PDB file of all heavy atoms in Angstrom:
ATOM      1  N   GLU Y 124      -1.531  -0.261  26.670  1.00  0.00           N
ATOM      2  CA  GLU Y 124      -3.026  -0.502  26.631  1.00  0.00           C
ATOM      3  C   GLU Y 124      -3.423  -0.867  25.169  1.00  0.00           C
ATOM      4  O   GLU Y 124      -4.315  -1.655  24.909  1.00  0.00           O
ATOM      5  CB  GLU Y 124      -3.699   0.617  27.169  1.00  0.00           C
ATOM      6  CG  GLU Y 124      -3.711   0.938  28.609  1.00  0.00           C
ATOM      7  CD  GLU Y 124      -4.256   2.373  28.823  1.00  0.00           C
ATOM      8  OE1 GLU Y 124      -5.340   2.673  28.303  1.00  0.00           O
ATOM      9  OE2 GLU Y 124      -3.692   3.119  29.816  1.00  0.00           O
ATOM     10  N   VAL Y 127      -2.199  -4.190  23.987  1.00  0.00           N
ATOM     11  CA  VAL Y 127      -3.036  -5.185  24.621  1.00  0.00           C
ATOM     12  C   VAL Y 127      -4.331  -5.405  23.991  1.00  0.00           C
ATOM     13  O   VAL Y 127      -4.875  -6.423  23.754  1.00  0.00           O
ATOM     14  CB  VAL Y 127      -2.984  -4.938  26.131  1.00  0.00           C
ATOM     15  CG1 VAL Y 127      -3.933  -6.005  26.851  1.00  0.00           C
ATOM     16  CG2 VAL Y 127      -1.421  -5.225  26.735  1.00  0.00           C
ATOM     17  N   GLU Y 128      -5.013  -4.220  23.877  1.00  0.00           N
ATOM     18  CA  GLU Y 128      -6.262  -4.045  23.273  1.00  0.00           C
ATOM     19  C   GLU Y 128      -6.359  -4.717  21.899  1.00  0.00           C
ATOM     20  O   GLU Y 128      -7.381  -5.426  21.460  1.00  0.00           O
ATOM     21  CB  GLU Y 128      -6.693  -2.578  23.318  1.00  0.00           C
ATOM     22  CG  GLU Y 128      -8.067  -2.409  22.576  1.00  0.00           C
ATOM     23  CD  GLU Y 128      -9.184  -2.542  23.577  1.00  0.00           C
ATOM     24  OE1 GLU Y 128      -9.015  -2.804  24.835  1.00  0.00           O
ATOM     25  OE2 GLU Y 128     -10.349  -2.352  23.053  1.00  0.00           O
ATOM     26  N   LEU Y 131      -6.437  -8.490  22.411  1.00  0.00           N
ATOM     27  CA  LEU Y 131      -7.593  -9.015  23.195  1.00  0.00           C
ATOM     28  C   LEU Y 131      -8.911  -8.899  22.270  1.00  0.00           C
ATOM     29  O   LEU Y 131      -9.802  -9.658  22.364  1.00  0.00           O
ATOM     30  CB  LEU Y 131      -7.881  -8.386  24.491  1.00  0.00           C
ATOM     31  CG  LEU Y 131      -6.748  -8.654  25.547  1.00  0.00           C
ATOM     32  CD1 LEU Y 131      -7.053  -7.766  26.806  1.00  0.00           C
ATOM     33  CD2 LEU Y 131      -6.681 -10.030  25.819  1.00  0.00           C
ATOM     34  N   VAL Y 136      -7.159 -14.757  24.974  1.00  0.00           N
ATOM     35  CA  VAL Y 136      -5.962 -14.955  25.853  1.00  0.00           C
ATOM     36  C   VAL Y 136      -5.942 -14.166  27.125  1.00  0.00           C
ATOM     37  O   VAL Y 136      -6.527 -13.112  27.049  1.00  0.00           O
ATOM     38  CB  VAL Y 136      -4.683 -14.678  25.088  1.00  0.00           C
ATOM     39  CG1 VAL Y 136      -4.613 -15.611  23.822  1.00  0.00           C
ATOM     40  CG2 VAL Y 136      -4.554 -13.255  24.622  1.00  0.00           C
ATOM     41  N   PRO Y 137      -5.340 -14.691  28.161  1.00  0.00           N
ATOM     42  CA  PRO Y 137      -5.229 -13.886  29.318  1.00  0.00           C
ATOM     43  C   PRO Y 137      -4.661 -12.586  29.109  1.00  0.00           C
ATOM     44  O   PRO Y 137      -3.665 -12.409  28.323  1.00  0.00           O
ATOM     45  CB  PRO Y 137      -4.471 -14.798  30.432  1.00  0.00           C
ATOM     46  CG  PRO Y 137      -4.530 -16.101  29.761  1.00  0.00           C
ATOM     47  CD  PRO Y 137      -4.674 -15.937  28.381  1.00  0.00           C
ATOM     48  N   LYS Y 138      -5.130 -11.480  29.883  1.00  0.00           N
ATOM     49  CA  LYS Y 138      -4.548 -10.073  29.674  1.00  0.00           C
ATOM     50  C   LYS Y 138      -2.979 -10.203  29.898  1.00  0.00           C
ATOM     51  O   LYS Y 138      -2.411  -9.421  29.237  1.00  0.00           O
ATOM     52  CB  LYS Y 138      -5.222  -9.213  30.746  1.00  0.00           C
ATOM     53  CG  LYS Y 138      -4.985  -7.823  30.323  1.00  0.00           C
ATOM     54  CD  LYS Y 138      -5.928  -6.824  31.120  1.00  0.00           C
ATOM     55  CE  LYS Y 138      -5.596  -5.360  30.652  1.00  0.00           C
ATOM     56  NZ  LYS Y 138      -6.259  -4.481  31.513  1.00  0.00           N
ATOM     57  N   ARG Y 139      -2.539 -10.941  30.938  1.00  0.00           N
ATOM     58  CA  ARG Y 139      -1.205 -11.018  31.317  1.00  0.00           C
ATOM     59  C   ARG Y 139      -0.328 -11.516  30.042  1.00  0.00           C
ATOM     60  O   ARG Y 139       0.831 -10.920  29.727  1.00  0.00           O
ATOM     61  CB  ARG Y 139      -0.869 -11.926  32.419  1.00  0.00           C
ATOM     62  CG  ARG Y 139       0.484 -11.979  32.859  1.00  0.00           C
ATOM     63  CD  ARG Y 139       0.721 -12.641  34.213  1.00  0.00           C
ATOM     64  NE  ARG Y 139       2.028 -12.523  34.573  1.00  0.00           N
ATOM     65  CZ  ARG Y 139       2.574 -11.343  35.374  1.00  0.00           C
ATOM     66  NH1 ARG Y 139       1.637 -10.430  35.525  1.00  0.00           N
ATOM     67  NH2 ARG Y 139       3.844 -11.353  35.613  1.00  0.00           N
ATOM     68  N   GLU Y 140      -0.899 -12.530  29.368  1.00  0.00           N
ATOM     69  CA  GLU Y 140      -0.085 -12.981  28.217  1.00  0.00           C
ATOM     70  C   GLU Y 140      -0.044 -12.029  27.163  1.00  0.00           C
ATOM     71  O   GLU Y 140       0.904 -11.887  26.430  1.00  0.00           O
ATOM     72  CB  GLU Y 140      -1.011 -14.204  27.665  1.00  0.00           C
ATOM     73  CG  GLU Y 140      -0.075 -14.999  26.645  1.00  0.00           C
ATOM     74  CD  GLU Y 140      -0.999 -16.289  26.161  1.00  0.00           C
ATOM     75  OE1 GLU Y 140      -1.718 -16.906  26.923  1.00  0.00           O
ATOM     76  OE2 GLU Y 140      -0.971 -16.585  24.917  1.00  0.00           O
ATOM     77  N   ALA Y 141      -1.228 -11.142  26.927  1.00  0.00           N
ATOM     78  CA  ALA Y 141      -1.216 -10.168  25.914  1.00  0.00           C
ATOM     79  C   ALA Y 141      -0.180  -9.146  26.268  1.00  0.00           C
ATOM     80  O   ALA Y 141       0.511  -8.582  25.417  1.00  0.00           O
ATOM     81  CB  ALA Y 141      -2.586  -9.547  25.809  1.00  0.00           C
ATOM     82  N   TRP Y 142      -0.180  -8.881  27.580  1.00  0.00           N
ATOM     83  CA  TRP Y 142       0.799  -7.695  28.006  1.00  0.00           C
ATOM     84  C   TRP Y 142       2.277  -8.158  27.691  1.00  0.00           C
ATOM     85  O   TRP Y 142       3.168  -7.452  27.175  1.00  0.00           O
ATOM     86  CB  TRP Y 142       0.589  -7.575  29.490  1.00  0.00           C
ATOM     87  CG  TRP Y 142       1.564  -6.495  30.013  1.00  0.00           C
ATOM     88  CD1 TRP Y 142       2.697  -6.595  30.625  1.00  0.00           C
ATOM     89  CD2 TRP Y 142       1.257  -5.020  30.107  1.00  0.00           C
ATOM     90  NE1 TRP Y 142       3.227  -5.419  30.965  1.00  0.00           N
ATOM     91  CE2 TRP Y 142       2.320  -4.438  30.667  1.00  0.00           C
ATOM     92  CE3 TRP Y 142       0.124  -4.242  29.740  1.00  0.00           C
ATOM     93  CZ2 TRP Y 142       2.379  -3.033  30.901  1.00  0.00           C
ATOM     94  CZ3 TRP Y 142       0.224  -2.956  29.942  1.00  0.00           C
ATOM     95  CH2 TRP Y 142       1.368  -2.219  30.500  1.00  0.00           C
ATOM     96  N   GLU Y 143       2.546  -9.486  27.944  1.00  0.00           N
ATOM     97  CA  GLU Y 143       3.943  -9.901  27.808  1.00  0.00           C
ATOM     98  C   GLU Y 143       4.343 -10.005  26.354  1.00  0.00           C
ATOM     99  O   GLU Y 143       5.430  -9.753  25.953  1.00  0.00           O
ATOM    100  CB  GLU Y 143       4.049 -11.343  28.531  1.00  0.00           C
ATOM    101  CG  GLU Y 143       4.232 -11.262  29.994  1.00  0.00           C
ATOM    102  CD  GLU Y 143       4.027 -12.588  30.737  1.00  0.00           C
ATOM    103  OE1 GLU Y 143       3.771 -13.639  30.070  1.00  0.00           O
ATOM    104  OE2 GLU Y 143       3.983 -12.561  32.033  1.00  0.00           O
ATOM    105  N   ARG Y 144       3.338 -10.535  25.545  1.00  0.00           N
ATOM    106  CA  ARG Y 144       3.538 -10.444  24.170  1.00  0.00           C
ATOM    107  C   ARG Y 144       3.733  -9.160  23.574  1.00  0.00           C
ATOM    108  O   ARG Y 144       4.596  -8.850  22.711  1.00  0.00           O
ATOM    109  CB  ARG Y 144       2.369 -11.127  23.291  1.00  0.00           C
ATOM    110  CG  ARG Y 144       2.809 -11.654  22.035  1.00  0.00           C
ATOM    111  CD  ARG Y 144       1.684 -11.756  20.985  1.00  0.00           C
ATOM    112  NE  ARG Y 144       0.580 -12.764  21.454  1.00  0.00           N
ATOM    113  CZ  ARG Y 144      -0.417 -13.017  20.805  1.00  0.00           C
ATOM    114  NH1 ARG Y 144      -0.568 -12.553  19.530  1.00  0.00           N
ATOM    115  NH2 ARG Y 144      -1.467 -13.708  21.212  1.00  0.00           N
ATOM    116  N   SER Y 145       3.059  -8.129  24.279  1.00  0.00           N
ATOM    117  CA  SER Y 145       3.278  -6.732  23.665  1.00  0.00           C
ATOM    118  C   SER Y 145       4.645  -6.195  23.968  1.00  0.00           C
ATOM    119  O   SER Y 145       5.384  -5.609  23.210  1.00  0.00           O
ATOM    120  CB  SER Y 145       2.179  -5.817  24.276  1.00  0.00           C
ATOM    121  OG  SER Y 145       0.983  -6.227  23.924  1.00  0.00           O
TER     122      SER Y 145
END
Side-chain angles (χ1 to χ4, degrees):
E124 288 169 43
V127 167
E128 173 85 2
L131 296 182
V136 294
K138 195 169 180 185
R139 180 171 190 81
E140 190 181 318
W142 183 271
E143 285 167 359
R144 202 199 307 178
S145 300

